Amino acid sequence: MIPVPHYSTPNVPKAPEGANLQRRRARLIVQIAGGSMSILGFVWILINALIGFSWLMLTLDIVLMAAGLVMLLLHRRDKIRSAGLLMYAVTFVLLCIFAVWLDIPTAVAPRSIHTYFLPLAICAYLVFHADSPFLRHTVVVLCCAAFLFFDCTNFGIVTSLMVPEFIRVYGVWANNASAIGLLLVLISVMQADLQVRDGLEAEFRDAIANGELALYYQAQADVDGHIVGAEALMRWRHPSRGLVPPDIFIPMAERSGLIFPAGNWAIRTACLQLVQWQNHAALAHLSVSVNVSAAQLRRDDFVATVLRIMEETAVPASRLKLELTESMLIQDVDSVIAKMTVLKARGVGFSLDDFGTGYSSLSHLKRLPLDQLKIDIAFVRDVLTDPNAATIAQTIVHLGQSLGLQVIAEGVETPGQRQFLMDNECQTFQGYFIGRPMPISEFEALVSTVPLASVRPRSNEAKAG
Ligand code: G
Ligand code: G
Ligand code: MN
C-alpha cells in the first residue's frame, strides 16, 4: 500500500478553548441564563403544584424551564447565538404575558415582574455584542421600552388567571431582589472582563521587549505533499498565562496601536528566518507569509518600514509574502495598490487572505498586484458537506487561474477535503491535515522528515487515511 502523506504533529499545544474574550463572555452569560431559567421554572412549577393557582401560570413555568434546558444543551454544542436568541425571545414573551395577565398592579402590591426586562437588556447586549449593531441595539431598545411601559402604567387584562394578591405581596420582593441580583452578577462579569483586558494590554506593552512574542509556522504543501512554505503566526508566551492566542491579543494590539511594533517585529523575525534558511539546501526554497493588519497597511510609512526591514535583514525578497484581507481593500483601493506596487517591484509577494468572505469587487481584484488567493477556511471546512461551499471553492480556484494567481486552501483538515480541492485543481494546501502552527524547531524538523517521494494519494486511499 502506498503511504498517504499525513503530517500531523501531535505535541503542539492547542489554543485554550473559547479564547476570545467576547465569545467567552457570551458563553458564560448563556450558561448562567439557561441555568437560572431552568431552576426558576422548576421552582415555580413546584409552587404551582403546591398552591395550585392557574393553568396559564403552569404553562409559562414549563416553557421557562424547557427553554432554559434547551439553552444549556445549545451551550454544550457551542451554538451560543441560537441559545442567545432563544433566551431573548422566550424571556421577552413570557415577561410580557406575565405583566399583562398575571402580575397586574393593585393598591396592595405593585407590579414587579417587568424589572427583569433590565437584566435581560444587558444580557442580550452582551451576548449579541459581536452581532450586527441592528440586532444588538434593537434587543436593548425593546427591553427598555417594555420596562418603561409596564412600570409607568397600570395596564393589564384582569381575569381569574391573575396571581392572587397574597402571593404577589411576596412576589414584589422576590422579583425585585432577584432582578437586582442578576444586575450585580452582570456588572461583575463586565468588570472582570475590563480588568483582564486592561491587564493584558499593559503586559503586552512589555511583551516585545521581554522576548515573549514568538512566531509559529504553519506548513503549506503542494499537490505532491512537499512543503513549499509556511504562514507565520504570532504567539504570545505569557509568563503566567501560558500561550495567549492571537484572537485575544491581536484585536487588543490593534485598539492600542501596539500592533505597529508587534507587526514590525513579526515581519523582521520572518525575514531573519528566511535569511537563515538560505544557508540550508533543504530549507532555502521555503517562502514565508506574514499577516498584515489593516491598521499597519493604512499607515503612510508602511512601505518605508517594510523596505527598511528588508534592507536591514537582507532578506531574499522573493521568499517573503504579505497577507492582506479583503476588508482592507474596500477603502482607498488606489493607495493600497500604490503601496503594493512599490513592494512588489522589490520582489515581495502578496496573498489575499480569507478570500470569499469580504466584499472585494472583481474589478478591483484585477487591478491588485496579487500573487495568491487564499480560500477561506469556512468554504474548505464544508467543501464535502455543503454544495454551496464546494461551488464557491471551485469558483475561487477558477477565478485565480484566469487571473493568473496561485490558489491556496486554508484550514484543510481531512484527506477528503484535500482530495476534493486537488481534483478541482487547487495547487497548495494549508491546515491541520498538513500541520498545525508550530515552533520553528518543529517546523524545520517537519520539513526534513517529510518524504520527498511524489505521492499523490488516490481518493480511496485518502479516505482510508
Ligand atoms: O493563528 P491563528 O493562529 O489563531 O491566527 C489568528 C489571526 O491572528 C490570523 O488570522 C491573523 O489575522 C492574526 N495574526 C496572527 N499573526 C499575526 C501577525 O504576525 N501580524 C498580524 N497583523 N496579525 C497576525
Ligand atoms: O490568517 P488567518 O486568519 O487565516 O489565520 C489562520 C488561522 O486559522 C489561524 O488561527 C490558524 O491557527 C487557524 N487554522 C489553520 N489551519 C487550520 C485548520 O486546519 N483548521 C482550523 N479550524 N483552523 C486552522
Ligand atoms: Mn492568514
Side-chain angles (χ1 to χ4, degrees), residues 315-384:
V315 67
S318 62
R319 304 272 177 247
L320 178 66
K321 273 201 196 81
L322 297 179
E323 284 196 8
L324 312 179
T325 59
E326 272 182 273
S327 53
M328 300 178 187
L329 310 176
I330 302 172
Q331 283 178 11
D332 227 358
V333 195
D334 292 316
S335 130
V336 171
I337 292 176
K339 288 176 182 175
M340 289 171 74
T341 309
V342 177
L343 289 171
K344 176 118 178 155
R346 304 291 187 96
V348 178
F350 284 94
S351 181
L352 194 50
D353 208 356
D354 307 335
F355 187 68
T357 59
Y359 302 94
S360 60
S361 90
L362 294 180
S363 58
H364 285 157
L365 198 59
K366 211 180 67 187
R367 293 171 56 210
L368 291 166
L370 287 169
D371 300 86
Q372 188 181 59
L373 294 181
K374 231 172 164 179
I375 309 176
D376 188 66
I377 192 163
F379 307 121
V380 175
R381 184 179 49 223
D382 299 337
V383 96
L384 296 177

Side-chain angles (χ1 to χ4, degrees), residues 255-272:
R255 272 196 305 272
S256 60
L258 292 170
I259 192 66
F260 303 122
N264 291 343
W265 172 87
I267 297 174
R268 180 182 299 275
T269 306
C271 288
L272 290 172

Side-chain angles (χ1 to χ4, degrees), residues 272-333:
L272 290 172
Q273 193 57 62
L274 284 167
V275 170
Q276 260 197 31
W277 284 344
Q278 293 318 294
N279 305 320
H280 295 83
L283 303 168
H285 66 287
L286 297 171
S287 68
V288 172
S289 298
V290 184
N291 291 286
V292 172
S293 289
Q296 292 175 270
L297 183 66
R298 260 200 311 272
R299 268 176 82 118
D300 290 333
D301 62 358
F302 175 72
V303 171
T305 306
V306 176
L307 287 177
R308 182 167 46 77
I309 294 173
M310 289 170 60
E311 254 161 53
E312 286 170 4
T313 56
V315 67
S318 62
R319 304 272 177 247
L320 178 66
K321 273 201 196 81
L322 297 179
E323 284 196 8
L324 312 179
T325 59
E326 272 182 273
S327 53
M328 300 178 187
L329 310 176
I330 302 172
Q331 283 178 11
D332 227 358
V333 195

Side-chain angles (χ1 to χ4, degrees), residues 218 231 235 291 323 353-354 377 410-413 431-432 437:
Q218 187 176 31
E231 174 171 2
R235 295 292 183 264
N291 291 286
E323 284 196 8
D353 208 356
D354 307 335
I377 192 163
E410 71 177 341
V412 180
E413 291 185 354
Y432 296 167

Side-chain angles (χ1 to χ4, degrees), residues 94-277:
L94 286 186
L95 288 177
C96 287
I97 297 177
F98 257 96
V100 172
W101 278 280
L102 297 170
D103 188 22
I104 303 165
T106 61
V108 180
R111 175 149 47 208
S112 58
I113 195 77
H114 64 291
T115 318
Y116 288 113
F117 279 118
L118 298 178
L120 180 61
I122 299 183
C123 263
Y125 185 79
L126 294 178
V127 171
F128 300 125
H129 191 78
D131 220 296
S132 72
F134 177 76
L135 178 69
R136 182 174 4 130
H137 292 124
T138 307
V139 291
V140 173
V141 168
L142 279 179
C143 277
C144 293
F147 173 80
L148 269 181
F149 177 77
F150 288 117
D151 200 60
C152 301
T153 69
N154 289 339
F155 177 79
I157 299 174
V158 179
T159 63
S160 60
L161 296 170
M162 200 176 143
V163 177
E165 208 159 49
F166 76 92
I167 293 176
R168 292 187 50 255
V169 175
Y170 299 107
V172 175
W173 287 95
N175 285 336
N176 283 328
S178 48
I180 290 172
L182 279 174
L183 282 175
L184 293 179
V185 169
L186 290 170
I187 289 169
S188 67
V189 167
M190 292 166 76
Q191 184 62 27
D193 279 0
L194 280 183
Q195 271 168 6
V196 170
R197 214 179 86 176
D198 290 353
L200 276 182
E201 191 172 311
E203 288 168 345
F204 192 69
R205 248 167 235 288
D206 302 323
I208 309 174
N210 293 347
E212 290 166 17
L213 293 187
L215 281 190
Y216 272 36
Y217 293 80
Q218 187 176 31
Q220 301 175 331
D222 67 11
V223 285
D224 294 322
H226 298 140
I227 294 179
V228 293
E231 174 171 2
L233 293 157
M234 206 189 294
R235 295 292 183 264
W236 178 10
R237 292 200 179 105
H238 189 282
S240 58
R241 288 174 188 277
L243 207 62
V244 183
D247 57 351
I248 288 212
F249 71 82
I250 295 279
M252 180 260 287
E254 285 173 343
R255 272 196 305 272
S256 60
L258 292 170
I259 192 66
F260 303 122
N264 291 343
W265 172 87
I267 297 174
R268 180 182 299 275
T269 306
C271 288
L272 290 172
Q273 193 57 62
L274 284 167
V275 170
Q276 260 197 31
W277 284 344

